[in-house]
Amino acid sequence: MQKTTLMFLVIFLMRIVLLNAEEQHTSPTLSPPQPSDPPRPWAELAENPLPLSEPFKDYTPVKVPNGTKLPYKVVDGVKVFHLIAEPIQWEIAKGLTINAWAFNGSVPGPVLEMAKGDRVRIYVTNSLPAPTTVHWHGFRIPCGMDGVAGLTQPAIPPGETYTYEFICPDSATYMYHTHFDSMTQEGMGLIGMIIVHEREEDLKKRPDRDYVILLHEMAIPVDTATPDTVESGGFNILTMNGKVMPDTEPLVAQIGDRVWIRFGNLSAMDHHPIHLHGYAFHIIGSDGGWLPKDTHTLPETTVLVPVGATRVISFLADNPGDWIFHCHMTHHIMNQMGHKFPNMIGMNTKGFDEKVRKLIPGYMTMGTTGMRDMTKSGMPIPPNSIPMLGFTGQFGSTVLGGMANILRVRDHIEEDEEIGPYHFPKGTVAWPTDPEEAQRDGIDLKLLSPTAVVPPNQG
Amino acid sequence: MKKRFYFLLFILPLLSGCCRVSLNPSRSYEDVKQNVLQRTGQEIYWQNHDPEFIYCLESYLEHPLTFEDMVQITLLNNYKLQAAYQLLGVAQAQVVQAHLLKNPLFGLSLRYENLVKGANIIEMGLVQNILDILLKPVKIRLARIEREQVKQEIAGLVIETIAEAKMAYIHYQTSRHILDMKKQLLEAAEASFDGAKRLRQAGNLTELFLVQQQSLYEEIKIDVSEWESIVYSARQDLNTLMGLWGCFTHWEAAGSLPEVTEVQYDLDEVERCALENSLNLQIKKEEIRATAARYKIQTAETVFPEMFLGPDSEKEADNTWYVGPAISLAIPIFDTGKARISEGHFEVARLCNEYIDLAINIRASARKLAFNLNQSYFQYDWFEKALIPISETTTTQALLQVNAMQIGVFELLDMKKKEIMTKQRAFSYYEMFWRNKAELERLISGKFVES
C-alpha cells in the first residue's frame, strides 16, 4: 500500500514537472523547431535560450530624437509589447498638424528595443477603419510571423488584436511597418524601427551615443491635412522621426564619444543620401546585420539610405561645433515646396508688382533670387501649413528645412544638459573681407568676373 | 305757306349740320394724362416748346441723372410722344368734321333764245345729300370711337416709352459697368503678358507660353472696343429717348444703380391684372366697333351712292316761275349691299378672333414675364449672395497659395479674371432683372408688345 502510494506520488510529481516543461515550449515559434539541415535561423537560440537581455547590462539603450521607445513587460521569460494601430493627429512641426495613422500615438511609432536571443511577444491591436498587419522588416523568423497580409496571415480586422511571437535570431537595425495596402498605410505613418542589440558587456565595445532616426516622406499639399498617399513624385514633407527641421531635435555628442547613428528609410519612393557635415564616417551595419570586424570600408561623408533599408554609421566625435546633417536631395530640405510654382529666377520685377497690386492688393513677386524671399516675407499663408519654413541659426536664416537635423558636438556635456547654439571661438567664423587684406594678398575685389552675366535690374 | 314749309323742311336739317363741338383737344389730353397717371404714377407733359419746360429740362441736366430723372426727361422731352399728342388734335378735328354735313349743291342753268335779251329759261336748284344727314350719327359715333382709340394708343405709347426709357437707362449703366470690368480684364491680361515677357527675357518660359498670353491680351482689346461701341450706342439711344441733342448731350449718369429688391409675383394675379388693364384689348374692341360702324356707312354708301333732295325752280320763257322739290336717288337693283354686309361681317369676325388671340397672348406673356422676373431676381440675388463672394474668396485663397509659393502669378491672375467675369455676368443678370421688370410693368400698365 505504501509503495503504491509512493509510486503514484512520484508519477504525479513527475507529471507536474513535465507539464511545466511542456508549457515553457508550447508556442511553436518560441519552441525549438524540428531538426533540419541547414537549421532554422532561430534553432540554436530556441534550443539554448539566453536569459532576457537587460538595458545597460547587455547593451546601451538607443536615443530616439523626437521619439519614444515602447515599454515592455516580462512574462515567463518573454518580452511582451503592445502595438496599437490607430488614427491620430500628428504635429509635423509648429504650424502643421496632419491626420495620420500611427502606432501608439506617434509617427513613426515607438522604437522597440531588444537584444539578440530575446523571446518576444507583440500584441497588435487594430483600431484603424481598415484591416492591417505588421511586418518585422529584416527579421529571420518563422514565415507565419512575417506579417504579409493574405500570404503569411489573414489581415487583422478592425477592432481585433493578433499576436506575434518569435525569437530574435540576429542583431541588426530593423524596421517594422504595415504590410496591408502598404502604399496607403505606410504613407499614412504606420512605420517604426526595431533595434536588436548585440549582447556586449564590454562598455568599450559599445557606442557612447547610439541614435535612431527613421526617414519618411509625405505629400501634403498646402492647406490640406491628410497625406496624399496616391502621390508618387510630389512629396513635400520629408521627415526625420516624423518631424521636419526646424523642429527636429538635435543630436548631441561629447568630444571623444563613439557615435552611431542608425538610419532607416520607409519613404514611399525616394532613397535619401544623408550627408553629415564636419565628419567622415564608416558604414558598419544594415537591416541585414553588421559589417564583419576588421573589414576595411571606405570613409564616407554621405550615406545613401535606400527605400526599405537601414544603415548604421559610426564615427568618433572629434570636431566640435554645430554640424548639420541632411538629405542631399535639395528638394528634400524644403518644407511644402510647391512644384507648380513657376521659375522666377532672374525676372525683372520693376513696375510689375504695382501692376498686379492694382487688381490684387497685397501681391508681391517672390523667388526672383531663389527661395529666401519666402523665409522673410511675413505674408499671409493658408492655415496649417509650413511652406518654406526653415531653420534660423544664430547668423540668420539657413533657408533650409525638411529632412535635416543638427549634431551638436561639445567639449563637455553634462547629463541632461540643454545644449544651445555653438559658441564659435573668436576668429574662427568666416568674416567680411577687409579690402586692405585682399589687396595685400593681390586679390582684386571686382564684384563680377569677366565671364559673368550682368543680372537684370531687380527693381 | 307751302313755300315756307318746303323752306323749313330744307333748312332745319341743314341747321343740324352746324357744329358746336370744340376743336380744342385739351379734354382728350387730360383724359390721356389721367389714364397714364392711374396706370403708371407718371405725369406726361405736352410742352409745345414751352420755355418753362426747357428750363425744367436744363435744371435736370445740371446734375448726374438717376433712373427716375431719365424717365422724367423722357416724358418731358421725347419728341415721338410730343408728335403723338398732336394726334389728339387730329382726332378731335375729325370728331368736329363728323358733326358737319356736306355742303348743299346749288345748280343753275340759263337758256337764251337769243343772246341779246336776257335768259328765256332759268333753272335753279339747291339739293342736299340726304344720306349724309342720315349717316351723320353713325359718322359721329365712328369719329368718337376713333378718338378713343387714339387716346388709348397714345396712353399705350407713353407706357411703352416709359418702359423703353427704363430699359435703355439700365442697359446704358450696366454696359458702362461691364466696360469697366472688361478694362479690368484687360489690365489682368496685360499683367499676365507683361509677366510672361519678363520671364521669357530671363530665359524661364517658352515662346509658346508667351504668345498664348499675348493672344489672350490682344483678344480682350477687341472685347473692350466692342463694349465701347455698345456703351456709346446705348448713350445715343438714351439721347433719342430723352429728345436731347447738341450741347444737351453732355449729361452724366449717376454712379449708383437702382437696387434690386425682392419680388415674388403671383402668376394668376399678374395674368388677371394684365387682362383687366390691357389697352391693346380696349383698342381692339374699339377697332371692332369702328369697323362695324365703318361698314354700316360703307354699305349705305354702296347701296345709295346718291341721295339728294332739295327745292328746284324753273322760270319759263313767259316769266312764270315753277318751284318744287327735286330728288335724286339710286335704285338698289343690282347692288343691294349684300357683298358689303358680308365683307363687314367677316371683317368683324376676323377682328373678334384677333381679339381672342391677343387676349391669349397677353395671358401667356403675363405669366411668362412674371415667372422670368421671379427667376431673374433669384439669379441675380444668387450672384450677390453666393457666386461673387465665392469668386472673391477664390482670389484671396489663390493669393495665399502664391504667398506660400505653391502656385504662380499666372494662376493668380487667372483667378482674378474669373472673379471679374463672374461680376460681369452678374451685371448681365442685373440688366435682365430690370428688363423683365420693365416689360412686366409695361404689360400690367396696359401695353402689350409682341416679342
Side-chain angles (χ1 to χ4, degrees):
Chain A
M1 182 66 180
Q2 278 180 339
K3 267 189 188 171
T4 314
T5 309
L6 191 64
M7 192 176 70
F8 275 122
L9 192 62
V10 167
I11 291 167
F12 179 69
L13 285 170
M14 275 179 68
R15 194 171 156 73
I16 289 171
V17 167
L18 281 169
L19 272 172
N20 278 344
E22 269 180 39
E23 271 169 16
Q24 261 195 326
H25 297 292
T26 47
S27 171
T29 53
L30 294 178
S31 306
Q34 292 293 326
S36 61
D37 183 20
R40 303 288 184 264
W42 62 92
E44 169 60 30
L45 287 164
E47 288 290 339
N48 304 298
L50 295 174
L52 280 186
S53 64
E54 289 173 48
F56 298 102
K57 175 175 174 284
D58 295 306
Y59 58 85
T60 300
V62 297
K63 288 191 189 315
V64 188
N66 294 115
T68 57
K69 287 192 278 190
L70 189 63
Y72 59 86
K73 298 183 170 92
V74 175
V75 178
D76 289 337
V78 176
K79 283 186 177 173
V80 177
F81 298 87
H82 185 195
L83 284 173
I84 305 170
E86 56 192 353
I88 65 163
Q89 297 245 290
W90 177 247
E91 185 185 82
I92 296 279
K94 281 191 192 54
L96 177 60
T97 299
I98 65 165
N99 303 316
W101 289 356
F103 290 111
N104 297 59
S106 66
V107 177
V111 170
L112 277 66
E113 195 167 24
M114 53 204 75
K116 178 178 172 179
D118 277 347
R119 300 143 77 81
V120 299
R121 185 178 302 130
I122 307 168
Y123 292 95
V124 175
T125 298
N126 181 9
S127 297
L128 299 171
T132 195
T133 62
V134 180
H135 166 60
W136 318 101
H137 185 108
F139 278 79
R140 297 192 303 149
I141 53 179
C143 189
M145 293 295 150
D146 196 39
V148 179
L151 181 65
T152 69
Q153 64 165 95
I156 307 170
E160 291 196 20
T161 301
Y162 275 34
T163 307
Y164 297 84
E165 273 184 347
F166 48 85
I167 300 168
C168 300
D170 310 293
S171 160
T173 302
Y174 298 109
M175 300 182 286
Y176 66 93
H177 58 83
T178 173
H179 219 293
F180 179 88
D181 188 10
S182 297
M183 182 188 83
T184 303
Q185 296 192 7
E186 275 189 54
M188 288 294 286
L190 283 166
I191 54 175
M193 286 191 73
I194 305 180
I195 306 301
V196 181
H197 293 280
E198 206 55 78
R199 293 170 189 249
E200 179 56 73
E201 287 186 0
D202 185 356
L203 291 177
K204 289 191 183 126
K205 289 183 181 171
R206 297 187 204 167
D208 299 297
R209 311 268 175 179
D210 193 351
Y211 290 102
V212 176
I213 293 175
L214 183 54
L215 311 173
H216 191 234
E217 63 190 7
M218 289 176 168
I220 305 176
V222 163
D223 200 22
T224 67
T226 303
D228 181 0
T229 56
V230 175
E231 180 62 63
S232 65
F235 299 99
N236 62 352
I237 289 287
L238 294 113
T239 59
M240 287 187 171
N241 284 346
K243 299 286 186 184
V244 296
M245 197 182 222
D247 280 21
T248 45
E249 183 187 334
L251 282 55
V252 298
Q254 187 170 283
I255 292 289
D257 281 346
R258 168 64 48 187
V259 181
W260 285 7
I261 307 178
R262 306 182 192 232
F263 293 105
N265 184 6
L266 283 173
S267 299
M269 298 293 289
D270 292 310
H271 315 304
H272 298 296
I274 304 296
H275 171 59
L276 171 64
H277 291 217
Y279 284 88
F281 50 77
H282 291 268
I283 301 169
I284 62 169
S286 73
D287 46 314
W290 299 98
L291 200 66
K293 288 186 175 22
D294 301 324
T295 304
H296 293 294
T297 56
L298 196 63
E300 303 270 12
T301 64
T302 301
V303 54
L304 180 66
V305 189
V307 176
T310 68
R311 294 287 183 270
V312 184
I313 66 171
S314 170
F315 57 92
L316 180 69
D318 59 2
N319 194 359
D322 282 346
W323 301 106
I324 199 160
F325 63 98
H326 58 88
C327 178
H328 219 285
M329 293 200 176
T330 54
H331 286 214
H332 291 182
I333 49 172
M334 304 295 269
N335 284 319
Q336 285 194 307
M337 204 193 82
H339 296 117
K340 292 181 189 165
F341 193 73
N343 179 8
M344 306 295 279
I345 303 276
M347 177 182 177
N348 179 357
T349 58
K350 189 174 182 183
F352 181 71
D353 283 10
E354 289 80 1
K355 252 184 215 177
V356 179
R357 277 196 213 114
K358 268 174 71 178
L359 298 156
I360 306 165
Y363 171 77
M364 187 174 91
T365 302
M366 288 190 287
T368 56
T369 57
M371 297 289 120
R372 71 183 177 105
D373 295 332
M374 191 56 215
T375 61
K376 56 181 181 145
S377 72
M379 309 276 279
I381 57 175
N384 197 45
S385 61
I386 52 168
M388 307 304 145
L389 177 66
F391 173 72
T392 301
Q394 58 183 294
F395 297 107
S397 172
T398 58
V399 196
L400 196 153
M403 190 175 277
N405 202 342
I406 298 173
L407 170 69
R408 297 195 197 274
V409 181
R410 304 287 184 267
D411 287 314
H412 181 71
I413 295 174
E414 294 292 340
E415 196 61 42
D416 295 328
E417 181 189 347
E418 184 107 1
I419 309 294
Y422 183 57
H423 293 296
F424 290 86
K426 196 174 175 185
T428 65
V429 175
W431 65 92
T433 300
D434 182 341
E436 279 181 19
E437 278 182 20
Q439 198 178 23
R440 179 200 67 203
D441 290 344
I443 298 296
D444 182 1
L445 287 182
K446 269 204 290 277
L447 280 178
L448 298 171
S449 73
T451 55
V453 172
V454 177
N457 184 354
Q458 294 299 313
Chain B
M1 190 62 188
K2 266 192 184 174
K3 283 183 189 172
R4 209 175 281 171
F5 171 73
Y6 286 131
F7 179 75
L8 285 172
L9 187 66
F10 180 69
I11 286 296
L12 280 175
L14 291 183
L15 281 175
S16 72
C18 300
C19 183
R20 287 176 294 278
V21 179
S22 171
L23 284 164
N24 189 341
S26 55
R27 213 161 115 185
S28 296
Y29 171 68
E30 282 305 314
D31 289 345
V32 170
K33 194 169 180 175
Q34 281 308 309
N35 196 4
V36 169
L37 185 66
Q38 195 186 344
R39 287 167 185 271
T40 67
Q42 302 278 5
E43 269 203 54
I44 60 174
Y45 306 92
W46 189 351
Q47 42 139 307
N48 274 323
H49 309 289
D50 188 335
E52 197 181 304
F53 284 100
I54 305 295
Y55 176 75
C56 192
L57 177 68
E58 283 171 351
S59 68
Y60 268 116
L61 296 175
E62 275 168 6
H63 57 268
L65 302 180
T66 63
F67 187 58
E68 291 74 23
D69 291 341
M70 293 267 178
V71 172
Q72 278 303 298
I73 295 172
T74 302
L75 290 171
L76 202 62
N77 205 47
N78 179 283
Y79 279 87
K80 202 190 253 184
L81 287 180
Q82 298 300 319
Y85 300 147
Q86 309 300 337
L87 290 173
L88 292 170
V90 170
Q92 186 63 23
Q94 285 172 347
V95 169
V96 169
Q97 183 66 45
H99 278 81
L100 299 171
L101 292 175
K102 288 195 177 122
N103 291 327
L105 285 173
F106 172 73
L108 173 68
S109 72
L110 301 168
R111 283 190 281 278
Y112 295 89
E113 191 177 346
N114 68 58
L115 292 168
V116 176
K117 285 188 181 173
N120 295 86
I121 299 172
I122 299 172
E123 288 183 19
M124 271 192 311
L126 184 68
V127 291
Q128 179 61 41
N129 190 336
I130 298 300
L131 190 63
D132 196 34
I133 298 173
L134 293 173
L135 289 178
K136 185 179 157 192
V138 183
K139 286 184 179 176
I140 291 170
R141 192 164 73 245
L142 176 62
R144 284 181 180 154
I145 292 169
E146 286 174 342
R147 183 180 59 185
E148 278 310 301
Q149 256 185 300
V150 165
K151 279 158 59 175
Q152 281 159 1
E153 276 168 3
I154 291 172
L157 181 65
V158 173
I159 293 166
E160 193 178 338
T161 306
I162 291 171
E164 268 180 40
K166 287 178 181 175
M167 288 191 276
Y169 177 82
I170 294 292
H171 177 61
Y172 174 67
Q173 285 285 54
T174 53
S175 300
R176 284 173 66 210
H177 279 87
I178 290 174
L179 177 61
D180 283 343
M181 305 271 118
K182 292 287 183 187
K183 285 179 177 170
Q184 280 185 40
L185 277 174
L186 186 66
E187 280 179 14
E190 200 267 325
S192 288
F193 178 43
D194 186 27
K197 268 192 293 189
R198 291 165 191 255
L199 284 170
R200 176 70 186 152
Q201 205 174 19
N204 300 5
L205 283 180
T206 61
E207 183 71 18
L208 172 62
F209 186 86
L210 176 63
V211 296
Q212 283 171 332
Q213 295 301 316
Q214 184 180 12
S215 165
L216 291 169
Y217 170 57
E218 304 295 346
E219 272 181 36
I220 295 177
K221 277 186 189 169
I222 300 289
D223 261 356
V224 167
S225 171
E226 280 177 359
W227 277 90
E228 280 172 345
S229 295
I230 290 170
V231 169
Y232 189 82
S233 301
R235 192 179 171 94
Q236 297 314 309
D237 290 342
L238 272 172
N239 283 334
T240 306
L241 277 166
M242 290 192 291
L244 300 175
W245 58 281
C247 61
F248 290 119
T249 60
H250 301 310
W251 49 269
E252 291 295 324
S256 61
L257 292 173
E259 256 189 59
V260 169
T261 50
E262 185 169 358
V263 295
Q264 201 51 246
Y265 284 92
D266 179 74
L267 303 190
D268 293 337
E269 184 60 25
V270 165
E271 186 182 337
R272 188 190 62 75
C273 281
L275 274 181
E276 264 180 29
N277 296 342
S278 175
L279 286 168
N280 298 69
L281 286 175
Q282 287 178 26
I283 291 168
K284 192 55 99 176
K285 239 190 251 179
E286 301 297 345
E287 194 183 339
I288 294 170
R289 289 175 59 205
T291 302
R294 215 174 281 119
Y295 271 100
K296 264 195 188 146
I297 296 168
Q298 283 177 5
T299 304
E301 287 176 350
T302 301
V303 174
F304 298 106
E306 279 191 8
M307 191 188 277
F308 290 98
L309 177 69
D312 193 73
S313 64
E314 186 179 343
K315 185 180 88 96
E316 293 292 336
D318 60 359
N319 292 325
T320 307
W321 279 98
Y322 297 93
V323 181
I327 184 164
S328 156
L329 181 70
I331 308 295
I333 295 175
F334 302 115
D335 187 351
T336 57
K338 276 187 186 169
R340 272 275 183 256
I341 292 169
S342 176
E343 184 187 334
H345 167 78
F346 283 105
E347 186 61 25
V348 166
R350 182 185 72 81
L351 290 171
C352 287
N353 279 293
E354 278 185 0
Y355 179 90
I356 295 167
D357 178 61
L358 179 61
I360 292 168
N361 260 305
I362 289 169
R363 281 177 188 272
S365 202
R367 297 184 83 87
K368 183 172 75 176
L369 284 172
F371 185 83
N372 286 344
L373 181 58
N374 292 344
Q375 288 297 100
S376 57
Y377 168 74
F378 162 74
Q379 287 156 4
Y380 176 73
D381 190 53
W382 202 244
F383 266 91
E384 288 288 301
K385 280 195 175 116
L387 297 178
I388 289 175
I390 287 169
S391 71
E392 288 170 343
T393 302
T394 305
T395 306
T396 306
Q397 286 298 317
L399 181 59
L400 293 181
Q401 292 284 330
V402 165
N403 292 346
M405 295 176 95
Q406 300 299 302
I407 61 173
V409 66
F410 301 109
E411 283 100 319
L412 177 63
L413 287 168
D414 277 347
M415 298 293 161
K416 185 64 186 178
K417 284 179 209 162
K418 284 188 178 131
E419 179 194 326
I420 294 167
M421 287 195 286
T422 301
K423 289 177 175 169
Q424 180 191 303
R425 277 181 70 210
F427 275 111
S428 302
Y429 281 90
Y430 175 87
E431 184 177 346
M432 202 183 330
F433 171 84
W434 282 104
R435 177 171 292 278
N436 285 336
K437 190 161 195 282
E439 285 180 354
L440 184 62
E441 283 170 356
R442 180 180 62 193
L443 183 66
I444 292 175
S445 300
K447 178 67 180 181
F448 169 69
V449 172
E450 207 141 7
S451 54

